[in-house]
Amino acid sequence: MTRIWLVVAALLLAGCGVEPSGPAAGGEAPTGVARGVTLYFVDARHQLQPRLRQTDRLGTISEAMSLLLTGPGDSGLRTEIAAGTVTRVGVTTEPDVIQLMVPFTVHDVTRLGIHQLVCTALGVHVQSGGSRTVKVRVRFVQPTPESDRERSCPLITVDGAR
């Protein structure tokens, strides 16, 4: 019986053979507590400009789209999306694509307006800890080849620069 206890004690002292290690790399961490959501509007030089809309939280992509469609407020910027009464945007996400179902036609938005939608959606996605490589598909109320394009934001790059 003493031998068994000696063997058990020796095994307990030896441990299981697993060495302690440091933290494993897990990619980029989410940015933390959000003071609001970043919306993208257009400046006087026809360039996209990010603007923080104070909401005390990041919110969802759908909520960000609603804020974007309400316009730039008194920021000195403008929007390239026609004003409308409906600000609700349907959002579905797949592993590699965010799909936005917008309440207007392709004729109600310019190329920069489409970038506003795409950058705002990707901004929320990335700030929530999502991948920068995800694409965005903007679906308009009337069928158009533009609805099938998968887009990225020229201001949110894959290499981490912004």
Side-chain angles (χ1 to χ4, degrees):
M1 189 66 149
T2 305
R3 285 185 184 166
I4 293 175
W5 283 111
L6 287 173
V7 171
V8 169
L11 288 174
L12 288 174
L13 290 173
C16 63
V18 176
E19 299 271 333
S21 65
E28 243 179 88
T31 60
V33 178
R35 297 181 318 194
V37 61
T38 301
L39 307 175
Y40 289 81
F41 292 103
V42 180
D43 67 15
R45 295 184 332 253
H46 306 291
Q47 302 292 313
L48 284 178
Q49 294 295 324
R51 281 297 179 262
L52 179 70
R53 178 77 52 94
Q54 297 279 1
T55 59
D56 295 327
R57 66 188 189 90
L58 179 59
T60 66
I61 294 173
S62 183
E63 291 168 333
M65 292 293 104
S66 291
L67 289 171
L68 180 69
L69 294 181
T70 62
D74 59 358
S75 67
L77 300 173
R78 69 178 194 284
T79 185
E80 294 281 321
I81 304 168
T85 57
V86 179
T87 60
R88 184 177 173 106
V89 173
V91 178
T92 58
T93 56
E94 301 168 16
D96 297 327
V97 177
I98 298 167
Q99 185 164 268
L100 307 175
M101 284 76 67
V102 296
F104 44 82
T105 70
V106 70
H107 303 292
D108 295 324
V109 62
T110 67
R111 180 186 60 80
L112 275 173
I114 292 172
H115 283 307
Q116 286 180 250
L117 294 162
V118 170
C119 290
T120 298
L122 282 176
V124 172
H125 175 74
V126 169
Q127 193 172 356
S128 297
S131 170
R132 292 175 185 272
T133 61
V134 167
K135 303 290 186 193
V136 175
R137 191 178 304 130
V138 181
R139 298 279 185 175
F140 298 96
V141 294
Q142 293 178 336
T144 174
E146 289 297 313
S147 291
D148 296 327
R149 290 190 56 202
E150 292 181 359
R151 304 165 190 272
S152 57
C153 175
L155 301 181
I156 301 174
T157 63
V158 176
D159 66 6
R162 190 168 183 186

